Amino acid sequence: MFQDFGHLTERRRAEREQRKKKIIIVSCSVALLLVVVLGVVASLHIFTKDPSNVSATSGGLRTTSRTIELICSSTDFKHACESSLSRVLNSSAGNSTSTDLQPRDLIKAAIAAVADEVSEAFSQAKLIKTDDPMVEGAVEDCKGLYHYAKDELLQTLRDVGKSPAEQLPKKEHDLKNWLSAVMSYQQTCIDGFPEGEFKTKMENAMKTAKQLTSNALAIVAQAASLFSMLDVRGLRVRRRLMSDADGLPAWVPEGDRRLLKEKVTKNLKPNVVVAKDGSGDFRTISAALAAISEKYHGRYVIYVKAGIYDESPTVTKEMVNVTMYGDGSRRTVVTGSKNFVDGTRTFQTATFIAIGEGFMAIAMGFRNTAGAIKHQAVAIRVQSDRAIFLNCRMEGYQDTLYAQTHRQFYRGCVVAGTVDFIFGDAAAVFQNCVLVVRRPLDNQQNIVTAQGRIDRRESTGFVIQNCRFVADKKLALAGAAPIRSYLGRPWKEYSRTIIMESTIGDFIQPDGYMPWDGDFALKTLYYGEYGNKGPGAGLSKRVAWPGFKVIGKAEAQAYTVALFIQGGDWIRAAGVPVHLGMYN
């Protein structure tokens, strides 16, 4: 064995020590990130009491208070972060003969330590006893929302378990995506309750869970930056998803590749056909969805022939990679009339619900015909991650399109409505779409968007690019009271909407935006405009809120399809026309 001597040896030794420190810091960041993230899921009892599951090997993570302080330094709720991690890590260390723990051992121990506490937050809804049907319905919604959060986090845990440590940074966008969704589920549970005692109880019950989720989002960003600092062989990671030789991202199933490489609107071979006249395999969309085999793998294609389908189909979480195409957005239409005034919670008023990952709709129409007088009445609720809508039409009045969670892309679509008619907490990009503002009740005002980001670290927001804001011909009725129309208002504290390279009609008020309630969110929201045109695009009289910005091209780039929703991988793979960057 040869040994180096002199100044070179000392420098190399110092470099090695520095690299070791970086590796330890990054390993701690990733492990503790996942510990806190997984804390928002209740009852995931996958940790065993067998002490052998907590290993004590050289090269593990030394759980010191200094490490915890480092990890929590970037969070907004430092006390909650430090106390929860101290409790988790001390408990894990107590089951081991050493304080040196491997990342996956820490993850398992952390889940067991925090599950009961977080489970209590969700279980508070079950304890509510009342004869009020709206409250009872909110309790049921919370149960369903809890399962969405639990299932998504379990899937993420499985993915992390199968991934080498050096590949974890590639999951940065996915981690932020589902963490943001979990936060949205928590808030949606709260929002389902009418104002009063029960809503206050749920807000208090969810407080710690929301803080832990926010902290986890902060740790995601910290872990990513630490990884990017590394210059160690084996830990250099490309941030974009890996692609195979055919140009499709690695996550696309093998059986799906041929279909995705074909033109979307041509050569689609349906698995089943839906036709009201009986000429297909099913007469309703719901029946076609129910017939999907649990053992089916690949993309499932449903062709819906022209007709008005008065039903409320749901693409459930188990129905992944479903493509549904029709004969045109005005010819193949799903319709319904559920609404808030008649006693249905907004969350459940949707005519069509898309939950399963990878849902795609082409040349379809979705309507809620309840009318302006019925207030909240959703035409379509989209919860699906990597959802695509091509040449579709969404028609309603208040709350037409509920872009609830995850990453969504709308291309060549028409969305028509009145009050907050595009709302939710998704990361959604609308490209080459027409946003039609209709006439509301005479005592109402029109608002196109009401984005619902509740934490500044969420990766969500609405981006409207190269679209047209137009007025329905009935908006300005002769002799009727004039209606004020706005581009948006902040539904939640960190509402984020970017309008760029779009054409805005003169019916939009010069100030552009209206407040939700007093000065709520005016300092914390993020509204940006770039490169818009048309008579309603003038900026001289826009609101003077701290959160409103006229942004430059460099800042606008961050909200392009490629960067904001990572669409260069999954949208292009689907064969859908997409502009990944700026138009100008």
Side-chain angles (χ1 to χ4, degrees):
M1 179 179 292
F2 294 92
Q3 186 175 3
D4 294 328
F5 295 90
H7 296 295
L8 181 60
T9 303
E10 292 302 317
R11 189 177 69 183
R12 289 176 176 172
R13 183 179 296 113
E15 289 175 349
R16 285 196 297 270
E17 290 301 318
Q18 187 65 23
R19 287 176 178 175
K20 287 180 181 178
K21 289 179 181 179
K22 287 181 179 180
I23 293 173
I24 291 172
I25 291 173
V26 171
S27 298
C28 289
S29 298
V30 174
L32 294 174
L33 150 69
L34 293 167
V35 166
V36 180
V37 168
L38 294 165
V40 300
V41 174
S43 303
L44 306 181
H45 298 298
I46 64 173
F47 176 71
T48 172
K49 294 181 180 180
D50 183 358
S52 65
N53 282 321
V54 182
S55 62
T57 62
S58 60
L61 303 177
R62 185 163 296 277
T63 58
T64 65
S65 59
R66 178 59 187 147
T67 300
I68 293 174
E69 289 177 8
L70 174 66
I71 297 304
C72 295
S73 63
S74 64
T75 65
D76 289 343
F77 305 98
K78 294 181 178 60
H79 177 72
C81 180
E82 292 177 4
S83 62
S84 62
L85 292 185
S86 296
R87 182 172 63 254
V88 168
L89 298 180
N90 289 336
S91 174
S92 297
N95 288 329
S96 175
T97 58
S98 168
T99 57
D100 286 338
L101 301 172
Q102 294 296 324
R104 286 181 177 80
D105 298 325
L106 286 170
I107 295 169
K108 293 177 182 178
I111 295 172
V114 301
D116 289 342
E117 178 181 342
V118 178
S119 177
E120 180 65 21
F122 283 97
S123 66
Q124 288 302 306
K126 300 178 183 179
L127 302 178
I128 294 175
K129 304 298 181 183
T130 177
D131 295 329
D132 186 335
M134 295 298 287
V135 175
E136 290 177 340
V139 170
E140 289 303 310
D141 288 345
C142 286
K143 292 178 182 178
L145 291 161
Y146 161 69
H147 287 294
Y148 292 143
K150 180 183 71 173
D151 290 347
E152 290 182 19
L153 292 170
L154 279 173
Q155 180 60 51
T156 303
L157 179 60
R158 286 192 288 268
D159 291 345
V160 170
K162 293 184 295 184
S163 301
E166 66 269 17
Q167 292 187 7
L168 289 177
K170 296 179 186 178
K171 297 182 178 295
E172 175 192 354
H173 293 300
D174 288 333
L175 289 170
K176 290 180 178 178
N177 170 55
W178 58 255
L179 271 174
S180 297
V182 168
M183 185 160 279
S184 176
Y185 297 146
Q186 294 167 356
Q187 188 62 46
T188 303
C189 171
I190 296 170
D191 288 345
F193 289 88
E195 295 295 332
E197 174 190 1
F198 296 126
K199 185 170 187 175
T200 300
K201 285 184 177 180
M202 287 310 305
E203 286 177 335
N204 292 335
M206 288 290 180
K207 181 178 179 180
T208 300
K210 290 171 70 176
Q211 289 181 349
L212 290 175
T213 311
S214 174
N215 289 343
L217 282 163
I219 295 172
V220 169
Q222 182 187 41
S225 63
L226 287 170
F227 264 103
S228 67
M229 292 168 56
L230 285 179
D231 187 23
V232 181
R233 185 179 179 182
L235 289 180
R236 292 178 179 175
V237 181
R238 288 191 302 165
R239 294 175 66 86
R240 290 180 62 85
L241 292 173
M242 297 295 289
S243 296
D244 291 342
D246 59 8
L248 296 176
W251 54 263
V252 178
E254 183 62 32
D256 211 12
R257 291 179 173 274
R258 191 182 323 126
L259 173 62
L260 293 182
K261 291 173 70 176
E262 295 173 346
K263 296 294 183 182
V264 175
T265 56
K266 296 180 180 179
N267 303 320
L268 280 177
K269 183 178 180 181
N271 294 80
V272 295
V273 176
V274 177
K276 288 182 64 68
D277 61 7
S279 61
D281 302 293
F282 301 95
R283 291 181 179 270
T284 67
I285 298 170
S286 298
L289 290 169
I292 299 176
S293 171
E294 294 182 358
K295 299 180 179 179
Y296 185 84
H297 296 287
R299 184 157 289 275
Y300 196 86
V301 181
I302 300 174
Y303 167 41
V304 186
K305 288 187 175 182
I308 306 299
Y309 295 83
D310 190 354
E311 55 176 309
S312 299
T314 297
V315 181
T316 67
K317 188 171 184 64
E318 293 71 30
M319 300 173 185
V320 299
N321 294 325
V322 172
T323 289
M324 190 175 297
Y325 72 99
D327 287 324
S329 63
R330 291 181 181 272
R331 299 184 64 211
T332 300
V333 178
V334 189
T335 188
S337 59
K338 290 185 290 185
N339 63 85
F340 183 81
V341 171
D342 288 344
T344 302
R345 301 170 310 286
T346 302
F347 181 69
Q348 299 291 0
T349 61
T351 298
F352 189 99
I353 301 173
I355 301 173
E357 182 177 353
F359 177 74
M360 187 187 306
I362 307 165
M364 295 277 295
F366 306 93
R367 290 178 187 163
N368 191 309
T369 60
I373 197 170
K374 296 295 186 177
H375 295 280
Q376 296 96 322
V378 177
I380 180 168
R381 173 162 64 88
V382 184
Q383 187 180 326
S384 169
D385 189 23
R386 299 190 180 103
I388 297 175
F389 291 83
L390 176 64
N391 299 335
C392 290
R393 190 177 187 91
M394 297 83 170
E395 294 179 297
Y397 287 84
Q398 184 169 344
D399 294 355
T400 301
L401 169 58
Y402 188 177
Q404 184 185 0
T405 56
H406 295 305
R407 292 163 289 195
Q408 305 175 15
F409 179 64
Y410 299 80
R411 171 82 180 201
C413 293
V414 175
V415 187
T418 56
V419 181
D420 306 333
F421 68 89
I422 301 176
F423 78 110
D425 193 21
V429 177
F430 299 81
Q431 194 172 89
N432 292 27
C433 292
V434 179
L435 310 181
V436 182
V437 180
R438 310 176 85 174
R439 185 170 185 85
L441 299 177
D442 287 346
N443 63 345
Q444 292 181 323
Q445 301 176 90
N446 283 324
I447 308 99
V448 178
T449 66
Q451 206 278 333
R453 191 170 63 141
I454 63 174
D455 187 271
R456 67 189 179 95
R457 302 185 189 279
E458 283 189 77
S459 60
T460 60
F462 293 161
V463 178
I464 299 174
Q465 183 185 25
N466 200 41
C467 294
R468 290 188 296 130
F469 292 81
V470 303
D472 183 87
K473 61 182 180 181
K474 294 182 180 180
L475 180 59
L477 292 175
I483 299 295
R484 290 176 174 267
S485 298
Y486 299 87
L487 297 171
R489 63 172 176 167
W491 182 29
K492 301 298 181 183
E493 189 172 3
Y494 293 92
S495 179
R496 178 162 62 178
T497 301
I498 297 86
I499 302 172
M500 57 190 192
E501 302 182 305
S502 295
T503 302
I504 304 175
D506 61 1
F507 63 95
I508 295 294
Q509 293 295 304
D511 46 352
Y513 306 86
M514 66 174 291
W516 185 272
D517 184 14
D519 61 356
F520 169 76
L522 302 188
K523 294 181 180 180
T524 52
L525 60 79
Y526 180 93
Y527 286 167
E529 290 192 48
Y530 169 78
N532 297 312
K533 58 185 179 181
L539 299 171
S540 63
K541 297 182 179 180
R542 285 291 193 258
V543 292
W545 304 340
F548 172 76
K549 303 179 185 299
V550 179
I551 61 177
K553 186 172 184 178
E555 192 169 352
Q557 290 276 7
Y559 300 102
T560 57
V561 171
L563 296 179
F564 190 57
I565 56 174
Q566 302 81 56
D569 296 302
W570 54 279
I571 298 174
R572 179 166 284 178
V576 173
V578 59
H579 201 91
L580 296 177
M582 307 296 293
Y583 281 82
N584 299 305

